[in-house]
Amino acid sequence: MAEGDGVVSTGGVELHLTNSSGTLTKLLGVLTLNAPSLMIDDAETTDQDDGGVKDYKPSMGDYPELQATLKHEPGSATHQLILEHLASKEKRPCKIIVVKEDDTRQEGAGVIFLKTYVPDNAGLGNRREATLTGRVRGFARSDEVV
């Protein structure tokens, strides 16, 4: 498969959160989203036989915080879903769809608890935005495109 230039010009990234009744619901107005990727910590294993150079081995895995920027509309269904999920302090199923360079879509799923939801200060003449952060666990991407 040939390497591309990394440009995706069609948009279409999606973030779905689970509401209080267990239904996955697409958030509207997503502007940016970092799809979680496994990050591996390292553990130092240096001993007296390492010739004065530190040595490491792979250690615990983790997923960095999910971060999203959304168009902010106070009182919207997306706003209400986020507030309810945040206040619940629950880990709930989530789904992320990313668009690949060839315009196919790849789905990933896991569980998430939300940590922060910060709407902007509503400056005059500007688009209102909000930032959302959460901690994802057990995130797995499908091998198939949807």
Side-chain angles (χ1 to χ4, degrees):
M1 182 167 106
E3 290 289 323
D5 59 11
V7 175
V8 176
S9 59
T10 59
V13 172
E14 298 178 16
L15 173 59
H16 299 246
L17 297 179
T18 303
N19 64 20
S20 60
S21 61
T23 304
L24 270 172
T25 304
K26 179 183 173 183
L27 299 186
L28 300 180
V30 173
L31 299 169
T32 65
L33 176 67
N34 70 322
S37 294
L38 185 62
M39 176 177 69
I40 304 297
D41 286 336
D42 54 19
E44 186 179 343
T45 60
T46 308
D47 60 29
Q48 295 294 325
D49 296 322
D50 286 326
V53 177
K54 288 185 177 183
D55 196 14
Y56 298 88
K57 72 175 188 175
S59 183
M60 300 291 291
D62 195 8
Y63 290 93
E65 284 187 349
L66 175 133
Q67 298 175 345
T69 306
L70 306 134
K71 293 179 186 175
H72 177 59
E73 184 179 338
S76 68
T78 291
H79 176 78
Q80 296 301 327
L81 171 60
I82 293 169
L83 290 177
E84 186 279 323
H85 192 168
L86 181 64
S88 76
K89 298 182 182 178
E90 294 176 338
K91 291 181 181 179
R92 296 181 180 175
C94 68
K95 178 171 73 172
I96 295 173
I97 296 176
V98 297
V99 179
K100 296 168 61 173
E101 189 175 349
D102 64 1
D103 292 332
T104 58
R105 297 158 26 107
Q106 184 179 40
E107 183 176 309
V111 295
I112 188 172
F113 70 89
L114 298 182
K115 293 180 66 174
T116 64
Y117 177 57
V118 183
D120 69 5
N121 61 3
L124 289 174
N126 294 318
R127 175 174 63 197
R128 295 189 72 180
E129 295 181 2
T131 56
L132 177 69
T133 63
R135 181 64 74 177
V136 177
R137 177 137 170 101
F139 188 79
R141 288 187 172 90
S142 67
D143 291 336
E144 304 171 302
V145 290
V146 294

